[in-house]
Amino acid sequence: MARLANCIAMMDEGIDRVSRIIPQMPSGEARLCRLMLMLGDHIEEELEFKLKPHKLNHSEFLTLMILYSRPDGSSTPGELCEYTSQGATNMTRIANALVKRGLITRGVSEEDRRRVLIRIAPAGRRFVQKMLPPMFPRVATMFAGFSDADKRHLDRLLRKLAGNLGQLGESRLP
Amino acid sequence: MARLANCIAMMDEGIDRVSRIIPQMPSGEARLCRLMLMLGDHIEEELEFKLKPHKLNHSEFLTLMILYSRPDGSSTPGELCEYTSQGATNMTRIANALVKRGLITRGVSEEDRRRVLIRIAPAGRRFVQKMLPPMFPRVATMFAGFSDADKRHLDRLLRKLAGNLGQLGESRLP
DNA sequence: GACTCATATTTCACCAGTGAAGTAAAAACT
DNA sequence: AGTTTTTACTTCACTGGTGAAATATGAGTC
């Protein structure tokens, strides 16, 4: 019996009961919101399970993947912070960890000596090429039974949600 | 200019480039996976923003909401762990924090003296009723522009994904 | 050209969450 | 009845992540 299914059933009942007490609650939206949160956590768990044997955590993996995906294999801490949604503090730690393992190199920029240049090392590329393929089956299985139309729809709806979240996020910071 | 939109654009390009190097990657699925993770994080941030003024974090809020949504307003640490996907260790801390604020009470069960009974306090109920409604607009705005059909489809697709994740999760633990 | 001001990163001190070991009560076995 | 096993929770030591201040360079101004 699936723990996750159980959790969801419980959430559904909970929201029903709360919305009976507080009827102005947007219960459909709240439900979707909770679903997104639960599934996000669960997917992260699923991936971390495949990362643990390599002693990488999610943010280190993501940082390494961004570098790997770059045409020139390099970036700066600031940029990596933006794309990983990590704080600068944590990026320092991540870079330290990856440098220590020889997966990336770190040096100062010549044009702007405040900047630090981070570059994926050959060992880093080899590492990614070795550890990535075993993750594919798990990722594929998550969407088992999804038709192409299902995947397109989900993609569309998630990007629409992203648009709204982008606006919300801007409205509270600048 | 939306940071989130920027992140997504960057992710799209990154996945394209990686899948050119490693063509057996399920790139559509990987994209959906990354989208789910990004949006999950972003929604969590959005909610925490509304929780911070009350000095609650997400897991404390969720714990309190579960208790609030229960017909009898009570549960046990073990059950709360299951439904919040928190470890027992952290639930001890959460309960300590909520007890200290007078939002819940904690006592030993009479039938089974190993168990601890956690119950929402009247102050806890009042607290929820006061702090919940201001969150509604943000939740509703996330799904602005979603037709009823959109919401139904998203709900269906997320639950389908949940089903797959549930199976994956079981396959690796028991 | 000295003097703010802004930008990029690091250091420090702290909060949140986890795994492993500890404690205590109940259930199962013999 | 007495021992072992299991269950429920807590404590402790640690990792991951954050906000505020420190450092160091570059940019703009008078």
Side-chain angles (χ1 to χ4, degrees), chain B residues 77-111:
Chain B
E79 199 183 18
L80 290 168
C81 283
E82 204 181 330
Y83 290 133
T84 57
S85 355
Q86 296 292 319
T89 306
N90 200 31
M91 192 48 69
T92 298
R93 189 194 56 74
I94 291 170
N96 286 341
L98 295 177
V99 166
K100 194 152 68 181
R101 293 183 58 173
L103 301 176
I104 66 172
T105 61
R106 181 157 46 173
V108 283
S109 160
E110 285 309 314
E111 313 94 60

Side-chain angles (χ1 to χ4, degrees), chain B residues 72-157:
Chain B
D72 59 353
S74 78
S75 185
T76 65
E79 199 183 18
L80 290 168
C81 283
E82 204 181 330
Y83 290 133
T84 57
S85 355
Q86 296 292 319
T89 306
N90 200 31
M91 192 48 69
T92 298
R93 189 194 56 74
I94 291 170
N96 286 341
L98 295 177
V99 166
K100 194 152 68 181
R101 293 183 58 173
L103 301 176
I104 66 172
T105 61
R106 181 157 46 173
V108 283
S109 160
E110 285 309 314
E111 313 94 60
D112 182 342
R113 293 161 46 70
R114 287 168 304 181
R115 279 169 184 258
V116 169
L117 255 171
I118 289 177
R119 187 178 298 279
I120 191 167
R125 283 193 196 278
R126 284 195 299 275
F127 180 81
V128 169
Q129 269 149 14
K130 205 181 48 147
M131 63 92 71
L132 204 55
M135 304 182 72
F136 297 160
R138 274 197 123 67
V139 174
T141 304
M142 287 183 202
F143 298 94
F146 278 61
S147 69
D148 283 0
D150 282 343
K151 288 183 225 169
R152 271 200 315 278
H153 284 146
L154 183 55
D155 190 274
R156 180 180 68 79
L157 291 165

Side-chain angles (χ1 to χ4, degrees), chain A residues 3-49:
Chain A
R3 274 183 311 117
L4 183 53
N6 212 349
C7 265
I8 290 179
M10 185 280 187
M11 180 269 285
D12 279 325
E13 288 172 39
I15 288 192
D16 279 350
R17 275 194 292 266
V18 172
S19 79
R20 236 169 279 133
I21 307 173
I22 309 177
Q24 67 270 36
M25 177 167 72
S27 51
E29 286 80 358
R31 220 180 284 270
L32 288 171
C33 201
R34 289 288 317 141
L35 274 173
M36 288 291 302
L37 288 171
M38 285 192 212
L39 296 183
D41 282 1
H42 223 86
I43 291 173
E44 193 153 337
E45 239 172 79
E46 207 56 61
L47 295 185
E48 296 236 318
F49 174 70

Side-chain angles (χ1 to χ4, degrees), chain A residues 8 11 29-43 154 157-159 161-162 165, chain B residues 32-44 142-143 146 154-155 158-159 161 165:
Chain A
I8 290 179
M11 180 269 285
E29 286 80 358
R31 220 180 284 270
L32 288 171
C33 201
R34 289 288 317 141
L35 274 173
M36 288 291 302
L37 288 171
M38 285 192 212
L39 296 183
D41 282 1
H42 223 86
I43 291 173
L154 184 54
L157 291 165
L158 292 178
R159 284 172 200 268
L161 177 54
L165 281 168
Chain B
L32 289 171
C33 203
R34 287 288 317 140
L35 273 174
M36 288 293 301
L37 289 171
M38 286 192 212
L39 296 183
D41 282 0
H42 223 86
I43 291 173
E44 193 153 337
M142 287 183 202
F143 298 94
F146 278 61
L154 183 55
D155 190 274
L158 292 178
R159 284 172 200 270
L161 177 54
L165 281 168

Side-chain angles (χ1 to χ4, degrees), chain A residues 17 51 60-61 68 83 87 99 152 172-174:
Chain A
R17 275 194 292 266
L51 295 177
E60 290 160 358
F61 170 67
Y68 182 83
Y83 290 134
V99 166
R152 270 201 315 278
R172 75 169 200 261
L173 276 173

Side-chain angles (χ1 to χ4, degrees), chain A residues 61-73:
Chain A
F61 170 67
L62 186 52
T63 302
L64 192 59
M65 284 309 301
I66 290 174
L67 290 169
Y68 182 83
S69 78
R70 283 306 178 81
D72 59 354

Side-chain angles (χ1 to χ4, degrees), chain A residues 42-58 135 138, chain B residues 168-169 171-173:
Chain A
H42 223 86
I43 291 173
E44 193 153 337
E45 239 172 79
E46 207 56 61
L47 295 185
E48 296 236 318
F49 174 70
K50 291 302 263 186
L51 295 177
K52 196 165 289 181
H54 303 285
K55 305 216 195 278
L56 271 193
N57 66 29
H58 186 83
M135 303 181 72
R138 275 196 122 67
Chain B
L168 262 182
S171 75
R172 76 169 200 263
L173 276 173

